[in-house]
């Protein structure tokens, strides 16, 4: 836990063992990004997208890496194309909308960015409902368990 180098080695091995699977490449990219290896992270995300062009986590991660680049047009077009392809799939669509929001914010289109973030958050809330009383009971049980 918290060892990005070990995670990178594990995900590199997973990517070797499952060369046709996009998710190990996404996680390898995340490990590279955690180590500050932006170029290697980008290669891993692009590898994931070559396997699954609508891989929402990879596009969202690329949007986060994209902060240092002057133009968002190409990546935004890829995200919009993926949004058209996925329809209403909550998990993937949510990741793509977060990517879209990040890119629109970067370009200064704050109203459109806010709309993308709002839709993404609504999808997330629908997929993972929050019950305040249930959460409070859970936290109280944890406190009781670990305070005894």
């Amino acid at each position: 836990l918290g060892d990005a180098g070990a995670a990178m080695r594990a995900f590199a091995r997973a990517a070797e063992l499952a060369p046709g699977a996009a998710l190990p490449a996404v996680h390898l990219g995340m490990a590279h990004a955690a180590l500050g290896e932006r170029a290697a992270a980008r290669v891993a995300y692009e590898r994931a997208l070559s396997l699954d062009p609508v891989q929402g986590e990879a596009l969202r991660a690329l949007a986060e890496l994209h902060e240092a680049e002057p133009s968002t047009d190409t990546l935004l077009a890829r995200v919009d194309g993926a949004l058209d392809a996925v329809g209403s799939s909550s998990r993937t669509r949510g990741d793509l909308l977060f990517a879209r929001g990040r890119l629109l914010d970067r370009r200064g289109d704050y109203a459109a960015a806010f709309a993308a973030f709002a839709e993404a958050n609504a999808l997330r809330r629908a997929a993972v409902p929050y019950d305040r009383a249930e959460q409070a009971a859970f936290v109280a049980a944890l406190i009781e368990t670990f305070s005894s």
Side-chain angles (χ1 to χ4, degrees):
L1 188 63
D3 186 347
M8 185 183 64
R9 291 185 296 278
F11 287 121
R13 181 72 176 131
E16 289 173 14
L17 293 172
L23 204 52
V26 172
H27 291 289
L28 177 60
M30 290 176 181
H32 279 297
L35 290 170
E37 300 170 355
R38 295 171 62 87
R42 181 179 306 283
V43 168
Y45 297 141
E46 291 293 353
R47 169 76 179 137
L49 290 165
S50 74
L51 298 167
D52 180 3
V54 297
Q55 216 301 331
E57 288 178 279
L59 283 165
R60 184 172 74 175
L62 276 176
E64 291 170 10
L65 284 179
H66 207 69
E67 294 294 317
E69 297 183 16
S71 174
T72 60
D73 295 346
T74 303
L75 187 53
L76 185 59
R78 289 172 74 185
V79 169
D80 286 343
L83 277 165
D84 289 342
V86 299
S88 62
S89 171
S90 293
R91 171 63 193 233
T92 300
R93 185 168 185 79
D95 285 335
L96 293 168
L97 286 164
F98 281 120
R100 185 171 205 284
R102 171 78 78 161
L103 293 167
L104 290 167
D105 181 71
R106 171 89 169 83
R107 113 181 335 182
D109 189 349
Y110 303 119
F114 185 84
F117 288 135
E119 185 180 346
N121 282 315
L123 287 170
R124 182 165 286 168
R125 278 190 303 277
V128 183
Y130 178 77
D131 181 316
R132 184 176 179 185
E134 183 179 305
Q135 185 67 24
F138 173 72
V139 170
L142 284 175
I143 291 170
E144 177 65 28
T145 298
F146 291 102
S147 297
S148 305

